[in-house]
Amino acid sequence: MSLQVEKLEHNMAKLTIEVPAEDVEKALQAAYLKERSKISLPGFRKGKVPRQMIEKMYGPEVFYDEAANHMISEAYGKAFDECELEIVSQPKIEVTQLEKGKSFIFTAEVAVKPEVTLGEYKGLKVDKVSTRVTQKEVDEEIEKERERNARTIDVTDRAVQDKDIVTLDFEGFVDGEAFEGGKGENYPLTIGSGSFIPGFEEQLIGAEIDKETEVKVTFPEDYQAKELAGKDAVFKCTVHQIKAKELPELDDEFASDVSESCETMEDYRAEVKAKIKERKEREGRQKKEDQAVNQAIENSQMDIPQPMIDLEAKQLADDFARRLMQQGMSVDQYFQLTGLSEDKIIEELKPQAEKRIKTRLVLEAVVAAEDIQVSDERLDEELQKMADSYQMEVDKLKEFMGENEKKQMKEDIAVQEAVTLIADAAVEG
């Protein structure tokens, strides 16, 4: 095999690969042996037709596709290893010569990892984030916990109030005529949730159990059902059941129930305040890192080849499909529900893919510029954290990891340390 490399514009390259004629003959013979069981000719048992007879009947090209696929797979793999380019896309293959008795020549157009020219990445200005915790924030957090610990009780001695959970029948009419999709039975609805069109839920306040109530609304101009958009409607509603949340008292008993370490409300308030502050510090740190890294990206220069973006977007789409399957939904079901397609999702993911590529390239460039090295001891620390999260022995985890995985982990750690370096050097203002 011979290889020629031609560098093209925008970090693209063309590999011209030539396979010797004797290897072409071997590939054609292998293709014949693979395909002969499918071919029959009069006078011969199926699978026993000589290659020469098949080629005479169907032409010498009959085995070209199978032979070419085999040679491309094998020869491109060797070229990938030999060319010393950091290829970051799938190859675009074009066959330029395939003929019996001659060498096989094809080209592979590929994207090459672009070089990055770093701009300023230290001393960047970022927003100052306050980590001060107000009494209102503490009260709101405690109220959320109170809501989470509320119990639901049946209500029979009053009408519907805001925040009640009701079960109702309803039927909608436009100009006195019932419309499709406007009817529901034993429908659960939380008053004030905003689940129904504006004005609907508020008019149920005051409704009594098993007494019909009329609700008058106007469908929004941008309503999804075009035949109803902007029209006035009347819904005849009957509430069959009212449930209300009964909130626990904010006392020491509540504090000890919701906290493992607090016995009094005073202690619990202090704990909530500390947790909010910790969360704000964590979010503030993330915001600082994001702002600083984004500026470092803007200050840098790089020419990202389109096939590199296409491949990253495809990988993001594959990741999304795997998450769907973990949630019990197939990709086809998702497409049916949303009206989307794989091509459309990939197209929508391209801006995100480009941002991810730029981020990684800039951070890798900072790693190189700062000569950030990750020791084996540092790697062991991360492996120990992983082992703890999986509740397994670290030695067992190491057994599952090859040298490539460890190398990748070191690179990821170095990139994260580059993020830390950029953020630590940033100036808040």
Side-chain angles (χ1 to χ4, degrees), residues 6 10 22 38 133 187 191 211 285 310 317 406 415:
E6 178 187 357
H10 305 302
E22 56 267 28
K38 305 173 186 175
V133 180
Y187 192 93
I191 305 301
K211 289 186 179 181
R285 176 67 187 184
D310 295 342
K406 291 177 183 178
V415 163

Side-chain angles (χ1 to χ4, degrees), residues 30 48 69 116 125 128 131 139 141 147 149 192 204 239 256 286 308 322 333 360 363 383 426:
K48 298 298 183 179
N69 289 336
V116 176
K125 289 186 178 180
K128 186 174 179 62
T131 58
D139 291 342
E141 193 65 34
E147 288 276 352
N149 285 270
L204 285 176
V239 173
S256 61
Q286 186 63 57
M308 186 180 186
R322 279 191 288 272
Q333 288 173 325
R360 184 76 183 195
L363 292 174
L383 289 172

Side-chain angles (χ1 to χ4, degrees), residues 111-325:
V112 179
K113 184 176 180 179
E115 292 184 3
V116 176
T117 302
L118 287 173
E120 290 294 329
Y121 60 89
K122 292 181 179 178
L124 303 172
K125 289 186 178 180
V126 295
D127 295 336
K128 186 174 179 62
V129 179
S130 173
T131 58
R132 178 176 169 269
V133 180
T134 66
Q135 190 60 50
K136 181 183 177 183
E137 289 171 323
V138 174
D139 291 342
E140 288 174 349
E141 193 65 34
I142 291 175
E143 192 60 30
K144 288 178 186 176
E145 188 63 38
R146 195 180 178 209
E147 288 276 352
R148 285 191 286 269
N149 285 270
R151 66 188 186 98
T152 303
I153 59 171
D154 287 318
V155 176
T156 57
D157 58 350
R158 64 166 174 79
V160 175
Q161 295 180 359
D162 191 24
K163 299 188 186 317
D164 281 348
I165 304 163
V166 302
T167 302
L168 76 156
D169 296 342
F170 61 85
E171 186 170 17
F173 300 83
V174 172
D175 297 329
E177 297 288 332
F179 57 87
E180 187 178 353
K183 186 175 182 179
E185 294 182 351
N186 293 318
Y187 192 93
L189 175 66
T190 300
I191 305 301
S193 65
S195 302
F196 278 25
I197 58 176
F200 186 101
E201 294 169 24
E202 294 87 337
Q203 292 180 59
L204 285 176
I205 294 174
E208 297 180 6
I209 292 176
D210 293 332
K211 289 186 179 181
E212 187 176 280
T213 300
E214 284 196 354
V215 172
K216 298 178 181 179
V217 296
T218 301
F219 285 98
E221 294 291 343
D222 60 351
Y223 192 65
Q224 58 185 0
K226 301 301 181 186
E227 68 276 10
L228 297 175
K231 292 189 176 181
D232 295 330
V234 175
F235 283 86
K236 293 181 179 180
C237 306
T238 303
V239 173
H240 294 303
Q241 188 178 50
I242 303 172
K243 289 181 178 288
K245 283 185 178 180
E246 186 174 74
L247 300 176
E249 293 292 326
L250 291 178
D251 52 20
D252 292 347
E253 183 180 352
F254 171 77
S256 61
D257 285 342
V258 298
S259 171
E260 295 181 357
S261 58
C262 298
E263 296 295 331
T264 66
M265 275 303 298
E266 183 180 0
D267 290 342
Y268 180 58
R269 284 184 179 278
E271 180 182 85
V272 170
K273 184 175 182 178
K275 286 183 177 178
I276 295 173
K277 186 174 180 64
E278 181 182 346
R279 184 182 71 229
K280 283 191 169 189
E281 288 173 346
R282 187 170 59 251
E283 291 171 350
R285 176 67 187 184
Q286 186 63 57
K287 184 177 179 181
K288 182 179 180 180
E289 289 179 354
D290 291 344
Q291 284 189 353
V293 170
N294 285 339
Q295 287 183 59
I297 293 169
E298 290 173 9
N299 293 341
S300 302
Q301 292 182 346
M302 68 201 90
D303 185 6
I304 301 176
Q306 187 60 46
M308 186 180 186
I309 298 173
D310 295 342
L311 180 60
E312 182 73 18
K314 177 67 168 64
Q315 290 171 344
L316 287 173
D318 290 344
D319 290 343
F320 176 67
R322 279 191 288 272
R323 289 196 298 273
L324 281 178
M325 292 177 68

Side-chain angles (χ1 to χ4, degrees), residues 289 363 367 378 411-421:
E289 289 179 354
L363 292 174
V367 168
R378 177 76 175 85
E411 290 175 1
D412 292 342
I413 295 168
V415 163
Q416 187 53 50
E417 289 190 0
V419 173
T420 302
L421 183 149

Side-chain angles (χ1 to χ4, degrees), residues 373-423:
Q373 302 290 332
V374 177
S375 66
D376 290 340
E377 290 75 18
R378 177 76 175 85
L379 175 62
D380 286 342
E381 289 176 12
E382 289 302 313
L383 289 172
Q384 185 64 59
K385 290 178 184 177
M386 284 181 63
D388 292 344
S389 67
Y390 289 122
Q391 297 182 332
M392 63 187 297
E393 295 293 328
V394 69
D395 290 338
K396 285 286 185 185
L397 178 61
K398 288 180 179 180
E399 287 178 12
F400 293 121
M401 298 185 69
E403 290 305 313
N404 285 337
E405 286 82 2
K406 291 177 183 178
K407 180 174 178 288
Q408 184 61 57
M409 270 196 73
K410 280 191 173 185
E411 290 175 1
D412 292 342
I413 295 168
V415 163
Q416 187 53 50
E417 289 190 0
V419 173
T420 302
L421 183 149
I422 294 170

